[in-house]
Amino acid sequence: MSSIQEVAALANVSTATASRALSRPDMVAQATRERVLSAARHLDYQPNVLARSLRQRQTRTIGLVVTDILNPFHATLAKGVQDAADRHGYTAFLFNTDEDPGKEGRALDTLRGHLPQGLILVPTARARENLRLLPNLPVVELDRVTGNPAATTVTVDNVGGAEAATAHLVALGHTRIGMIVGQQDISTAVERHAGFRQALLGAGVPYREQLVLPGHHRQEDGRQAALRLLDLPADERPTALFVGNNEMTVGAVLAARERGLNIPGDLSIVGFDDSRWAQTMLPPLTVVAQPTYDLGVLACDLLIAQFSRPARSRASPARVQLPTTLIVRQSTAAPPP
Amino acid sequence: MSSIQEVAALANVSTATASRALSRPDMVAQATRERVLSAARHLDYQPNVLARSLRQRQTRTIGLVVTDILNPFHATLAKGVQDAADRHGYTAFLFNTDEDPGKEGRALDTLRGHLPQGLILVPTARARENLRLLPNLPVVELDRVTGNPAATTVTVDNVGGAEAATAHLVALGHTRIGMIVGQQDISTAVERHAGFRQALLGAGVPYREQLVLPGHHRQEDGRQAALRLLDLPADERPTALFVGNNEMTVGAVLAARERGLNIPGDLSIVGFDDSRWAQTMLPPLTVVAQPTYDLGVLACDLLIAQFSRPARSRASPARVQLPTTLIVRQSTAAPPP
DNA sequence: ATGAAAGCGCTAACAC
DNA sequence: GTGTTAGCGCTTTCAT
């Protein structure tokens, strides 16, 4: 890799002039500029970003930490962030925590040494402690929220989405509705649960504690929880299920199949988050869809906008909430007679 | 962020000694070492990797370029690579090309400035040109291959996998077997096609050109190609389909549903690459499974091993090929009478 | 065992 | 408009 020194030498100018010709073209005479540019092209020059970042004390780099890159929801978030970062001339470093706070801590520590200018984070339950590793780094919390009042957040309307899903089931005539809900130390799970409960109360349908089962967001958790609900005595068993995330919804469908139940004839199912699975499963699933890619883009745009703003306008961090959409497909119908 | 200068000052030593105490503990007296370590802990010191990399002229960083992070196959490869890199104390920079050679070129160019010590690449059709941007950088080609004789490659036995899938269909009694194949400028597609053809010839089943349709690896391509095959006159229409990748297989299943065909009663389908879709679709799909995560891990291990080897043992680059496994589920059966 | 000093490649004052 | 110089934070000779 040729350095700016070689470019300068070939163009017969000082390194300072070469540098200016490349990054501030208007500070240099046209003839000189052309000589430098041609020399650079000739040598296939590419600036060493390490040296540049070290000198400028800014890396044009951001950190991106998600909890499960194998989940298409997170992969889509990541793509949105990376595409947006790219458009702004930034590079995003992607880390994966597998929902493990320990791994999250280590990821943030590694990241720290790379001097990112900001961080986009889908937080684990202990993110707030972990974030103390990076004081006064601009942070955007994505999808979920830690409760830190200083953080910018980009989320969806989980309460509204859950309400819509529940109201849909109620409108179909269901009165024994179960929910499979994520860990209660994660904000999305709490909010979706709240929306569910609220919608039931609002509609005058009893909220039954024993029909709400927790899971850790994985397909197998969804399956286990659904099996427990489906194995209740016939007069207690829910006729409809609202499931708190995409993977657990797949598990719930598999559970229904295992028990030989027809969807939606014997059991209606609504999932949170649309996915290819939801569209291609049989029957196609009714879901609360999220603008996933846009969430990622927005998080990144907001973060980068924050850099360029006068330092002390941090008074009130942005709190963006995007709407969800109920997509009615074929996994929901009236309860069995 | 505190620098090594502050650590040195606090410990009452020179920066040189502080540096040694942190990275070469045995070069320093025990008492000094302890003072430095305690100072570092106190200040929450984290070395600036930019400065270190600049000085040492090695970044402990590798590039990772995949063609579609939204495809779980690629997400799994990426996770394998990142987990392995992490274990070796390396950081992997992930880029996404969307199967677009132009984007690939730009990704490699950006990467170049970050001085990665090596590169793991799922190449696009024009990768060989693009790679000229990075002369004498150790490269591992993953999943697919450019034909560059100097590159290390990590792939699966595509020919064998395709043969096994085809032989399975033949053994069930199919004689009109169609294939939906990827772009012919991508090595995996060529090899899977070759395996298909070879298996037919070996079994004495005629290979019919008109039953082999190309697609660009996306679900919708698979759907379109399948529709064309399924709309052939009844006596020409294939009774079984072998589909060249995971996404196109989903498309083929949807096409069959659209035409009201029963799988496997009216049409058998085998896909290449297992996936959650394949397992949860109805019926569960018979597939050629690949050791995807291991491919990623292996690529990374091989790349990093390459750094540590004496420079001129590059005589013969490694060529690793992992086996595939035919998983027979319920999308394949005897042809209709 | 430790310190002084040079230098990785780049950009930003500060001259002129 | 261009050159000279200093310095980002770190590691590594080379002395002592």
Side-chain angles (χ1 to χ4, degrees):
Chain A
M1 283 272 301
S2 46
S3 73
I4 202 170
Q5 313 231 29
E6 310 177 49
V7 174
L10 184 57
N12 254 304
V13 293
S14 71
T15 59
T17 302
S19 172
R20 284 189 282 251
L22 291 164
S23 22
R24 284 132 93 149
D26 39 313
M27 283 186 66
V28 97
Q30 169 153 1
T32 336
R33 179 166 66 241
E34 279 166 10
R35 271 203 335 278
V36 172
L37 260 43
S38 133
R41 224 174 304 115
H42 220 79
L43 296 170
D44 200 20
Y45 171 72
Q46 174 83 359
N48 179 329
V49 301
L50 276 60
R52 172 185 288 175
S53 299
L54 184 61
R55 173 64 232 241
Q56 298 191 140
R57 336 196 69 208
Q58 54 146 332
T59 54
R60 296 190 77 76
T61 269
I62 64 173
L64 168 60
V65 179
V66 301
T67 60
D68 181 10
I69 191 65
L70 296 186
N71 184 330
F73 173 71
H74 290 263
T76 307
L77 288 179
K79 185 154 200 284
V81 171
Q82 289 202 321
D83 287 353
D86 202 48
R87 274 197 293 279
H88 291 285
Y90 278 71
T91 303
F93 285 21
L94 174 65
F95 289 81
N96 203 1
T97 60
D98 289 327
E99 210 70 83
D100 170 359
K103 259 185 126 168
E104 183 180 62
R106 271 169 281 137
L108 292 179
D109 211 43
T110 303
L111 210 41
R112 193 158 75 117
H114 288 271
L115 307 184
Q117 294 181 240
L119 176 67
I120 297 176
L121 175 72
V122 179
T124 70
R126 270 211 287 295
R128 221 159 148 185
E129 295 169 37
N130 284 332
L131 279 172
R132 281 200 296 248
L133 284 168
L134 304 159
N136 44 6
L137 183 72
V139 173
V140 175
E141 297 176 357
L142 179 57
D143 176 52
R144 309 168 180 174
V145 135
T146 64
N148 174 358
T152 299
T153 65
V154 176
T155 56
V156 297
D157 179 10
N158 288 297
V159 174
E163 283 178 340
T166 312
H168 169 61
L169 294 172
V170 169
L172 287 170
H174 293 273
T175 54
R176 281 203 315 280
I177 305 178
M179 175 168 185
I180 302 175
V181 64
Q183 294 167 244
Q184 287 303 297
D185 50 8
I186 286 181
S187 66
T188 49
V190 173
E191 291 169 9
R192 290 170 197 177
H193 182 212
F196 170 73
R197 186 172 183 148
Q198 221 161 280
L200 287 184
L201 296 181
V205 174
Y207 170 83
R208 303 170 205 251
E209 193 84 48
Q210 70 279 16
L211 296 190
V212 176
L213 258 43
H216 286 269
H217 304 173
R218 305 302 206 142
Q219 176 176 321
E220 182 56 20
D221 299 308
R223 180 175 157 270
Q224 296 290 352
L227 285 177
R228 281 183 51 201
L229 290 171
L230 298 180
D231 287 342
L232 289 171
D235 58 338
E236 294 177 31
R237 182 211 289 163
T239 60
L241 247 37
F242 171 47
V243 190
N245 85 341
N246 56 1
E247 299 218 8
M248 292 195 298
T249 306
V250 174
V253 171
L254 295 185
R257 284 188 195 162
E258 279 179 58
R259 289 297 178 259
L261 294 173
N262 178 273
I263 302 173
D266 303 317
L267 181 72
S268 288
I269 293 188
V270 189
F272 208 107
D273 187 43
D274 198 12
S275 68
R276 196 105 55 121
W277 308 318
Q279 297 168 41
T280 58
M281 279 187 103
L282 219 54
L285 264 38
T286 296
V287 296
V288 179
Q290 314 184 59
T292 314
Y293 183 84
D294 294 341
L295 284 174
V297 170
L298 197 55
C300 189
D301 287 348
L302 240 40
L303 181 66
I304 289 174
Q306 204 169 316
F307 302 155
S308 3
R309 222 177 318 158
R312 283 295 151 253
S313 68
R314 300 280 163 77
S316 55
R319 286 277 135 86
V320 182
Q321 197 177 67
L322 263 39
T324 58
T325 320
L326 179 70
I327 300 182
V328 178
R329 296 204 184 94
Q330 293 153 48
S331 64
T332 48
Chain B
M1 284 269 303
S2 44
S3 72
I4 202 169
Q5 313 231 29
E6 310 177 49
V7 173
L10 184 57
N12 253 303
V13 294
S14 70
T15 59
T17 303
S19 171
R20 284 190 281 251
L22 291 163
S23 21
R24 284 134 92 153
D26 39 312
M27 284 186 67
V28 97
Q30 170 154 0
T32 332
R33 178 167 66 243
E34 280 165 10
R35 275 207 328 280
V36 173
L37 259 43
S38 134
R41 224 175 305 116
H42 220 80
L43 295 171
D44 200 21
Y45 170 72
Q46 175 83 359
N48 180 327
V49 302
L50 275 62
R52 172 185 286 176
S53 299
L54 185 61
R55 171 66 232 239
Q56 296 191 140
R57 341 199 64 211
Q58 54 146 333
T59 55
R60 295 191 77 78
T61 269
I62 64 173
L64 169 59
V65 179
V66 301
T67 59
D68 181 10
I69 191 66
L70 297 185
N71 183 331
F73 173 72
H74 290 262
T76 307
L77 289 178
K79 184 154 201 284
V81 170
Q82 289 202 320
D83 287 353
D86 202 48
R87 274 196 294 278
H88 291 285
Y90 278 72
T91 304
F93 285 22
L94 175 63
F95 290 80
N96 204 358
T97 60
D98 290 326
E99 209 71 81
D100 170 358
K103 259 186 126 167
E104 182 181 60
R106 272 171 281 136
L108 292 179
D109 211 44
T110 302
L111 209 43
R112 194 160 74 117
H114 288 271
L115 306 184
Q117 295 181 240
L119 176 67
I120 297 176
L121 174 72
V122 179
T124 69
R126 270 211 288 296
R128 220 157 149 184
E129 296 169 38
N130 284 331
L131 280 172
R132 282 199 294 247
L133 283 168
L134 304 158
N136 43 5
L137 183 73
V139 173
V140 175
E141 297 177 357
L142 178 56
D143 177 50
R144 311 168 179 174
V145 136
T146 64
N148 174 358
T152 299
T153 65
V154 176
T155 57
V156 298
D157 179 9
N158 288 296
V159 174
E163 282 179 340
T166 312
H168 168 62
L169 293 172
V170 169
L172 287 169
H174 293 272
T175 54
R176 280 204 315 279
I177 306 177
M179 175 168 186
I180 302 175
V181 64
Q183 295 167 245
Q184 287 303 296
D185 49 9
I186 286 180
S187 67
T188 49
V190 173
E191 292 170 6
R192 290 169 197 178
H193 183 211
F196 171 71
R197 184 170 184 148
Q198 221 161 281
L200 288 183
L201 295 182
V205 175
Y207 170 83
R208 303 170 206 251
E209 193 84 47
Q210 70 278 17
L211 295 190
V212 176
L213 257 44
H216 286 269
H217 303 172
R218 305 301 206 146
Q219 176 175 320
E220 182 55 20
D221 299 308
R223 180 174 157 270
Q224 295 290 354
L227 286 177
R228 281 183 49 201
L229 290 172
L230 298 180
D231 287 342
L232 289 172
D235 58 338
E236 292 175 34
R237 184 211 289 164
T239 59
L241 247 37
F242 171 47
V243 190
N245 86 340
N246 58 359
E247 300 218 8
M248 293 196 298
T249 306
V250 173
V253 171
L254 295 185
R257 285 189 193 161
E258 279 179 57
R259 288 298 178 260
L261 295 174
N262 177 275
I263 302 174
D266 304 316
L267 180 71
S268 288
I269 293 188
V270 190
F272 208 108
D273 187 43
D274 199 11
S275 68
R276 196 106 54 122
W277 309 319
Q279 295 167 43
T280 59
M281 280 187 102
L282 219 54
L285 265 36
T286 296
V287 296
V288 179
Q290 314 184 59
T292 314
Y293 183 82
D294 293 341
L295 284 174
V297 171
L298 197 54
C300 189
D301 286 348
L302 240 38
L303 181 65
I304 288 174
Q306 204 169 315
F307 302 155
S308 2
R309 222 177 318 155
R312 284 295 153 253
S313 69
R314 299 281 164 78
S316 54
R319 286 277 134 86
V320 182
Q321 196 177 67
L322 264 38
T324 58
T325 320
L326 179 70
I327 301 182
V328 178
R329 295 203 183 96
Q330 292 153 48
S331 64
T332 46

